[in-house]
């Protein structure tokens, strides 16, 4: 009996060893494929062989010990969809089909402002928005956009009672932009028009920087190097410079030529904006940095310009005074310094050249902050003043008065050569 038991055990052992060896040999053959890994944009469908938890998974140093899961068996995190910065809660989870994300159609269309109609007999969806008409039959690999046939990477489908359509195709056909964040497994859909262009590299900040400008404590702190051949040297940190570089709350640098959407104006010197990659923050509203302008912003900036200029009332007049200091001014160094410090507008040094900047306007068009140029000292243009509103001038021309405000009287009107608008 004992001999028989040993024989049976030996036979079983040899059988198991042979089976394991055969499997190892088969796996080592050329061309044999490993188990398929889950798609990087997988939706709710679970790949064969994946592991699914019955509840939330605890991670971190306090997590209990658990058997390691091979990479090929790891279930990818679900995909999140954000529409104009807000989470889009769809009726059912997105589904990935060979890299194309399909989502329930109603909230996707209506969330982007499209009017939706559905023909249940033909399984045909029609969406209209701002002159765009999109027609699509579920299951087809082509759709029609304004009578133009457009191919799809994957067909829509009806699953679990919901009609699913390709997210990227639908969104881009309606004029939206779509961006995929691989690290966060997030799709950002934006219906916003990014209408404002960056003129000069400017920092996007998490909050308006306190800065150090004497004109306004909320203006950016700037590192400045003069670009004028006549002034030379380094300007104070309160003046307008070559790049917005100060502050510690910087999110990223927005390069020249990039686009943003302006959410709102924050005082005279800041704009809250959204970028195409869905970051929200604050940038300088000074005209040096963007082409954004509005009547309300111009009024606020003009008020700041005049208020700052009036802080120098009584400052001595010295012909040829350097704009690198504020102990004295002549007419053009005063104008140059005030515009630099408040609006980052870099004007030439002398009034004759300043009169070539901006656009010419008539006296009936004058608004606060415009520049007025006059004949003086036997020169066609020998004096400049800032229009301060209410028929007043802010300027300096006399050792007796220094910087002053006075009426825009007939005396000055007779000597007027041109009026220019520089912001």
């Amino acid at each position: 009996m004992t001999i028989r038991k040993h024989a049976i055990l030996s036979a079983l052992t040899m059988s198991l060893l042979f089976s394991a060896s055969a499997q190892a040999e088969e796996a080592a053959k050329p061309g044999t494929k490993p188990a398929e890994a889950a798609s990087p944009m997988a939706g709710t469908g679970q790949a064969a062989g994946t592991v699914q938890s019955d509840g939330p998974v605890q991670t971190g140093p306090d997590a209990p010990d658990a058997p390691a899961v091979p990479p090929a068996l790891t279930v990818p995190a679900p995909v999140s969809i954000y529409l104009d910065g807000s989470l889009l809660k769809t009726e059912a989870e997105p589904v990935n089909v060979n890299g194309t994300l399909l989502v329930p159609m109603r909230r996707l269309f209506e969330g982007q402002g499209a009017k939706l109609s559905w023909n249940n007999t033909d399984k045909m969806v029609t969406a209209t928005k701002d002159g765009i008409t999109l027609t699509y039959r579920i299951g087809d690999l082509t759709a029609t956009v304004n009578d133009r046939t457009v191919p799809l990477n994957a067909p829509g489908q009806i699953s679990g009672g919901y009609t699913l359509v390709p997210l990227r195709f639908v969104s881009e056909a309606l004029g939206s932009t779509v961006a995929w964040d691989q690290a966060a497994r997030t799709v950002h859909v934006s219906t916003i028009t990014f209408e404002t262009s960056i003129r000069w590299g400017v920092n996007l900040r998490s909050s308006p920087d306190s800065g150090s400008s004497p004109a306004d404590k909320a203006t950016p702190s700037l590192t400045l190097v003069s670009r004028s051949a006549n002034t030379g040297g380094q300007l104070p940190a309160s003046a307008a410079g070559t790049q917005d570089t100060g502050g510690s709350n910087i999110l990223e640098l927005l390069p020249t030529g990039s686009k943003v959407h302006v959410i709102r104006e924050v005082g005279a010197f800041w704009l809250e904006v959204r970028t195409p990659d869905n970051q929200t923050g604050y940038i300088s509203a000074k005209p040096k940095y963007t082409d954004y302008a509005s009547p309300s912003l111009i009024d606020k900036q003009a008020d700041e310009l005049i208020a700052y200029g009036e802080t120098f009332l009584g400052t001595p007049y010295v012909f040829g005074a350097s704009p690198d200091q504020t102990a004295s001014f002549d007419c053009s160094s005063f104008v140059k310094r005030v515009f630099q410090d408040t609006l980052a507008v870099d004007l030439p040094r002398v009034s004759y050249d300043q009169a070539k900047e901006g656009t010419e306007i008539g006296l009936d068009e004058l608004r606060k902050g415009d520049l007025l140029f006059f004949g003086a000292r036997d020169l066609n243009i020998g004096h400049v003043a800032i229009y301060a509103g209410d028929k007043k001038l802010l300027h300096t021309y006399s050792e007796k008065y220094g910087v002053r405000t006075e009426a825009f009287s007939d005396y000055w009107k007779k000597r007027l050569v041109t009026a220019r608008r520089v912001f």
Side-chain angles (χ1 to χ4, degrees), residues 1-2 5 25 106 183-184 199 230 240 256 266 284 293 304 370 377:
M1 179 65 70
T2 301
K5 287 181 179 179
E25 182 181 356
R106 183 163 298 279
R199 286 174 169 168
N230 294 327
T256 301
V266 184
S284 173
E304 293 288 346
D370 288 336
R377 302 191 308 276

Side-chain angles (χ1 to χ4, degrees), residues 91-104:
E91 302 90 328
E93 291 294 325
V95 173
N96 175 58
V97 178
N98 298 326
T100 296
L101 202 63
L102 305 181
V103 298

Side-chain angles (χ1 to χ4, degrees), residues 10-33:
S10 297
L12 288 172
T13 300
M14 291 298 294
S15 176
L16 290 172
L17 289 172
F18 178 79
S19 175
S21 176
Q23 291 178 14
E25 182 181 356
E26 181 66 24
K29 289 180 179 179
T32 303
K33 294 183 179 180

Side-chain angles (χ1 to χ4, degrees), residues 38-52:
S39 167
M41 285 189 64
T44 56
Q46 186 176 351
T50 59
V51 176
Q52 186 170 6

Side-chain angles (χ1 to χ4, degrees), residues 234-423:
Q234 185 160 333
L235 294 173
S238 59
T242 57
Q243 183 175 318
D244 171 17
T245 57
S248 59
N249 58 347
I250 296 172
L251 299 175
E252 65 172 304
L253 176 68
L254 303 180
T256 301
S258 58
K259 298 279 189 176
V260 294
H261 170 71
V262 175
I263 299 172
R264 65 187 178 103
E265 299 165 7
V266 184
F269 296 106
W270 292 95
L271 301 173
E272 184 179 10
V273 301
R274 178 176 288 130
T275 65
D277 62 357
N278 210 47
Q279 280 214 84
T280 299
Y282 300 86
I283 63 173
S284 173
K286 295 182 178 184
K288 178 186 184 75
Y289 296 107
T290 76
D291 63 1
Y292 177 83
S294 74
S296 61
L297 182 64
I298 289 170
D299 285 346
K300 294 172 189 173
Q301 292 181 339
D303 287 342
E304 293 288 346
L305 180 82
I306 300 303
Y308 179 57
E310 288 178 344
T311 65
F312 296 108
L313 290 176
T315 300
Y317 173 87
V318 174
F319 181 76
S322 170
D324 290 350
Q325 49 80 48
T326 59
S328 63
F329 297 107
D330 65 12
C331 65
S332 55
S333 73
F334 173 70
V335 168
K336 177 177 175 63
R337 185 60 186 263
V338 169
F339 271 83
Q340 279 181 326
D341 285 4
T342 54
L343 299 180
V345 173
D346 189 11
L347 294 172
R349 171 61 183 86
V350 297
S351 58
Y352 177 81
D353 291 327
Q354 290 174 355
K356 301 173 184 177
E357 299 294 308
T359 57
E360 187 172 22
I361 54 172
L363 285 182
D364 58 342
E365 302 175 274
L366 280 179
R367 72 182 186 207
K368 190 182 294 186
D370 288 336
L371 294 180
L372 299 168
F373 295 90
F374 306 90
R377 302 191 308 276
D378 296 325
L379 298 173
N380 180 42
I381 293 178
H383 180 63
V384 58
I386 304 172
Y387 184 65
D390 298 326
K391 300 179 181 179
K392 293 182 180 179
L393 304 178
L394 174 62
H395 59 163
T396 184
Y397 62 92
S398 165
E399 294 179 0
K400 178 180 179 180
Y401 298 111
V403 176
R404 67 182 302 206
T405 57
E406 65 175 295
F408 185 20
S409 63
D410 288 341
Y411 171 86
W412 289 107
K413 289 178 182 177
K414 290 177 182 178
R415 289 161 175 75
L416 181 70
V417 176
T418 185
R420 309 288 293 188
R421 180 165 293 161
V422 295
F423 76 100

Side-chain angles (χ1 to χ4, degrees), residues 63-142:
D65 292 336
V69 179
L73 302 181
T74 301
V75 178
V79 173
S80 298
I81 302 169
Y82 282 83
L83 178 60
D84 290 336
S86 298
L87 182 65
L88 181 67
K89 297 180 179 178
T90 56
E91 302 90 328
E93 291 294 325
V95 173
N96 175 58
V97 178
N98 298 326
T100 296
L101 202 63
L102 305 181
V103 298
M105 69 176 183
R106 183 163 298 279
R107 290 184 184 174
L108 181 66
F109 278 105
E110 293 179 350
Q112 297 180 67
K115 184 177 180 181
L116 186 66
S117 64
W118 170 252
N119 185 323
N120 193 54
T121 302
D122 298 331
K123 301 296 183 287
M124 183 79 72
V125 57
T126 301
T128 56
K129 175 189 176 184
D130 300 335
I132 300 171
T133 300
L134 184 155
T135 305
Y136 176 61
R137 187 192 308 275
I138 302 301
D140 287 356
L141 273 171
T142 60

